[in-house]
Amino acid sequence: MKIDVYFSPAQVDEMQLREKNVVVIDVLRASSTIVAALHNGAREIIPVSSVESAVKVSGNLFGDVVLRGGERNGKMIDGFNLGNSPSEYTEEAVKGKSIILCTTNGSVAMVRARYAKNMTVACFNNISSVVEFMEEINDDFSIVCAGQQSLFALEDAVCAGMIVKQLSDKDSLMLELNDAAVTAHVLYKTYNKNLLKMIKSCDHGRYLAGIGFEDDLKLCAEIDSVATVPMLAGSVIKVKKEAMRPSVGNPLGTTAEAVAD
Ligand code: MLT
């Protein structure tokens, strides 16, 4: 199994991810939010890369079964129902809803992977379940860290390193790692004793704490708090077992092209 880690989506384009198996990581906070939303019964997540697309895709179902979530500078976007804090995506708020998600880095990275053969979303909260899914697929994977404005983000790299570590512990797998995957593994070994401390001290963690989201850091540092594996099905992200069903309609009738902005 070849594992290629990319520390920023800027290092890889849509065509390089086409027909690949892809894991997108945005620990702070889009991946953690998606995992929370699906765990709490959201019907699906539709990642988009601009506010304009979010408005276009939500159309006239907005506010009923369709919610808009996301952030700019970490804060809820005007006219949206939800921000990008996993704590907002409670069962009461999201059960049965389609959520159009627009975030600065995370949803953009997911849109970039929209032509992947298999695309899943990882964070510390669902990491062992994602690793099991990778073992099941037993094929090469690209791990794309959402990073921060095309730059390296420590928390995503450490999460990628934890995936590498868990895969390398599996006797059934023979891994071939690119240099970034080796580096991510080294970073994981450096920081694994106190992930919360790492998250609190990284650039985006400090920023989020500064704008009042310190509690999110604790939530996002939890390892294996849920077993949800999100999976791209067409242009929507669903819980894996639903995504694998042969026909997966969605009330918006979106296609990959519809969100290709
Ligand atoms: C992003 O996509 O950049 C984020 O998830 C930012 C955040 O809300 O913390």
Side-chain angles (χ1 to χ4, degrees):
M1 182 189 276
K2 189 164 191 311
I3 303 294
D4 289 325
V5 168
Y6 299 95
F7 286 133
S8 151
Q11 296 172 335
V12 67
D13 67 31
E14 201 169 87
M15 287 306 131
Q16 288 168 280
L17 297 177
R18 193 179 191 106
E19 290 305 313
K20 297 275 174 63
N21 299 303
V22 180
V23 179
V24 176
I25 299 176
D26 185 8
V27 170
L28 297 176
R29 296 166 290 173
S31 294
S32 309
T33 292
I34 288 175
V35 166
L38 290 174
H39 175 71
N40 286 327
R43 177 188 165 95
E44 63 206 355
I45 310 293
I46 300 142
V48 296
S49 53
S50 70
V51 174
E52 294 69 33
S53 283
V55 172
K56 190 170 97 189
V57 174
S58 53
N60 53 16
L61 287 172
F62 175 57
D64 180 11
V65 288
V66 178
L67 304 179
R68 291 182 203 140
E71 56 68 44
R72 283 297 177 258
N73 300 315
K75 297 176 189 154
M76 189 165 85
I77 300 166
D78 276 351
F80 277 39
N81 310 87
L82 297 158
N84 190 33
S85 167
S87 66
E88 293 172 71
Y89 289 69
T90 57
E91 190 174 336
E92 200 187 358
V94 304
K95 197 171 167 93
K97 309 279 186 186
S98 296
I99 298 163
I100 319 247
L101 189 73
C102 177
T103 73
T104 311
N105 305 283
S107 68
V108 176
M110 291 162 206
V111 169
R112 190 159 294 192
R114 67 185 181 272
Y115 300 125
K117 179 159 66 178
N118 290 296
M119 193 274 272
T120 186
V121 171
C123 56
F124 291 116
N125 300 164
N126 70 342
I127 195 156
S128 299
S129 302
V130 167
V131 168
E132 268 170 39
F133 167 68
M134 295 171 81
E135 189 183 16
E136 211 176 280
I137 298 273
N138 195 5
D139 194 2
D140 300 344
F141 267 89
S142 301
I143 301 179
V144 181
C145 298
Q148 197 59 28
Q149 317 276 16
S150 300
L151 297 175
F152 177 89
L154 181 62
E155 68 282 10
D156 293 342
V158 171
C159 186
M162 188 169 181
I163 291 177
V164 172
K165 153 80 175 122
Q166 291 198 2
L167 288 171
S168 64
D169 286 345
K170 305 224 177 250
D171 294 336
S172 60
L173 300 177
M174 276 285 293
L175 298 188
E176 189 189 331
L177 306 178
N178 73 350
D179 286 356
V182 173
T183 308
H185 192 192
V186 171
L187 287 171
Y188 170 71
K189 285 192 270 189
T190 304
Y191 289 103
N192 79 85
K193 282 193 187 64
N194 198 337
L195 289 179
L196 180 58
K197 188 171 169 205
M198 178 277 293
I199 283 184
K200 281 184 172 175
S201 62
C202 68
D203 288 342
H204 197 53
R206 282 184 282 121
Y207 174 76
L208 288 172
I211 60 168
F213 289 112
E214 182 142 24
D215 288 350
D216 282 4
L217 306 184
K218 234 170 127 183
L219 272 180
C220 296
E222 283 173 13
I223 298 169
D224 290 335
S225 48
V226 297
T228 305
V229 177
M231 243 189 107
L232 189 69
S235 61
V236 305
I237 297 173
K238 289 184 168 262
V239 172
K240 184 185 140 211
K241 58 180 187 316
E242 289 168 18
M244 309 269 287
R245 285 198 198 123
S247 134
V248 280
N250 70 78
L252 296 161
T254 45
T255 64
E257 287 69 30
V259 294
D261 46 353

